[in-house]
Amino acid sequence: MRIILLGPPGSGKGTQAQLLVQRYGIVQLSTGEMLRAAVAAGTPVGLKAKEIMAGGGLVPDDVVVGIISDRIDQPDAKNGFILDGFPRTVPQAEALDELLKRKHLKLDAVIELRVNESALLSRVETRVAQMRERGEEVRLDDTPEVLTKRLASYRSQTEPLIHYYSERRKLSTIDGMMAIEEVTRAIHRQLLALGAVEPKTHARSAAKAAPAKKTKAAKKSTQKPAKAAKKAAKSAKTAEKAAKKPVKGAKKATRKTAKKAAKKTGKKAVKKGAKKAAKKVTKKRAKR
Ligand code: AMP
């Protein structure tokens, strides 16, 4: 599966990308992360990008296209990838189309996370506070001034991509103001609807998310954790299969039968009650 996450800074692209990575076992390709690593390592690309990034501008298209093209060729990207922060301009999108074509790869979807601009500043402030709490180095471009510039460049250079991908029938827009897990669910539903993922990824993630000791298979098992997890995944898969149509039908049937039975029982009860009452009256009359 190959998808693009589109959205302004602070829209939650990075957070969602990480969750999708866990769920589908694909890699996150974030040009921002790659550029920050290049800056930290002092590579020629890093030296070129450093000032531009600190000022909230965009690194030249050919630089980021080159980085992405090389990264897509790495073995870990064979399974699929999520592009986070790329493409950011129409020429980048065109270059991506070209290079995917050359590599015989297909883009499955472009997910736009739509958010209220008023929420972005506070989201970035929260991110900064959390990074400080974790003792991580805070990004130089996560300041109110630079954020304003990054937002302006998003509006003028990246927003046209919404039109670009919607014209190509690739765009899905999701409300990025919902809670994190709601957004993830909405993305998953969208990917399911597009046929980009198989329903079984539910089971896979459920088995991954559920602590092994809570699953039946793992409780019983004295095997190694990896084996237990495999078994748990299998049982989750089976459970999911079982939860499909036939059971639905069976549930309906059971409900219907139960209703019928209840009706019958109800009728019987009424009949029984009437008989008892009639007997009582006859007895009383007989006494009299
Ligand atoms: P991000 O982590 O996606 O917010 O990116 C941080 C910074 O890296 C951006 O403000 C840009 O300066 C630069 N950058 C990241 N991705 C791109 C891209 N696709 N094109 C140009 N510049 C980029």
Side-chain angles (χ1 to χ4, degrees):
M1 179 182 41
R2 290 164 214 99
I3 58 175
I4 294 176
L5 282 183
L6 205 60
S11 58
K13 295 189 301 291
T15 307
Q16 289 303 326
Q18 277 166 22
L19 293 166
L20 296 170
V21 161
Q22 284 169 22
R23 185 166 203 162
Y24 306 123
I26 53 180
V27 289
Q28 172 190 9
L29 306 186
S30 154
T31 38
E33 286 295 328
M34 292 179 213
L35 288 167
R36 278 188 285 280
V39 170
T43 65
V45 165
L47 295 175
K48 222 183 201 178
K50 193 174 179 184
E51 292 300 311
I52 304 171
M53 290 172 76
L58 289 188
V59 174
D61 289 340
D62 58 328
V63 174
V64 280
V65 171
I67 294 180
I68 281 292
S69 179
D70 291 346
R71 189 61 188 84
I72 287 175
D73 291 336
Q74 302 292 309
D76 63 344
K78 288 277 175 281
N79 220 8
F81 50 77
I82 303 164
L83 291 173
D84 159 19
F86 179 90
R88 252 180 163 97
T89 64
V90 172
Q92 286 182 21
E94 287 167 346
L96 176 67
D97 281 347
E98 250 325 290
L99 73 87
L100 288 179
K101 208 170 146 192
R102 240 188 5 252
K103 295 177 200 286
H104 305 288
L105 299 173
K106 188 182 139 268
L107 186 66
D108 291 292
V110 178
I111 309 279
E112 180 208 355
L113 297 179
R114 195 164 283 185
V115 288
N116 297 341
E117 270 203 15
S118 54
L120 296 178
L121 182 62
S122 69
R123 278 191 176 194
V124 172
E125 278 170 354
T126 309
R127 172 163 80 198
V128 169
Q130 284 170 345
M131 285 175 91
R132 285 217 170 95
E133 247 180 52
R134 290 196 296 262
E136 290 169 11
E137 210 175 302
V138 173
R139 284 171 52 167
L140 286 173
D141 58 352
D142 268 349
T143 64
E145 301 77 39
V146 183
L147 183 69
T148 311
K149 278 193 191 160
R150 286 161 63 202
L151 265 177
S153 90
Y154 178 80
R155 258 186 247 115
S156 64
Q157 308 207 62
T158 312
E159 239 171 29
L161 291 181
I162 292 170
H163 179 65
Y164 181 90
Y165 286 117
S166 106
E167 254 193 341
R168 284 157 182 76
R169 303 193 176 280
K170 291 277 183 206
L171 190 79
S172 303
T173 300
I174 286 184
D175 177 9
M177 296 305 292
M178 299 186 290
I180 292 173
E181 56 280 12
E182 281 293 313
V183 176
T184 316
R185 267 198 288 273
I187 295 176
H188 181 69
R189 274 197 299 271
Q190 195 57 38
L191 293 174
L192 271 177
L194 291 169
V197 288
E198 286 178 21
K200 69 175 185 210
T201 39
H202 270 307
R204 187 190 161 159
S205 61
K208 258 191 171 178
K213 62 176 180 186
K214 274 190 186 169
T215 62
K216 225 180 175 182
K219 252 186 196 172
K220 268 188 183 176
S221 167
T222 48
Q223 297 159 334
K224 281 179 185 169
K227 265 193 180 172
K230 250 190 193 171
K231 225 176 175 183
K234 216 176 172 185
S235 67
K237 245 185 196 173
T238 321
E240 203 208 0
K241 256 189 195 168
K244 278 180 188 165
K245 263 182 189 168
V247 176
K248 245 188 190 172
K251 251 189 191 170
K252 239 185 187 174
T254 319
R255 250 187 264 135
K256 254 188 183 172
T257 324
K259 257 187 186 175
K260 258 188 189 170
K263 246 187 187 174
K264 259 191 185 171
T265 324
K267 270 184 194 166
K268 259 187 191 168
V270 173
K271 265 188 190 170
K272 238 184 181 176
K275 258 188 187 171
K276 248 188 183 173
K279 254 187 189 172
K280 257 188 186 172
V281 172
T282 328
K283 262 188 188 172
K284 264 187 187 172
R285 276 190 192 154
K287 265 187 185 173
R288 268 193 242 142

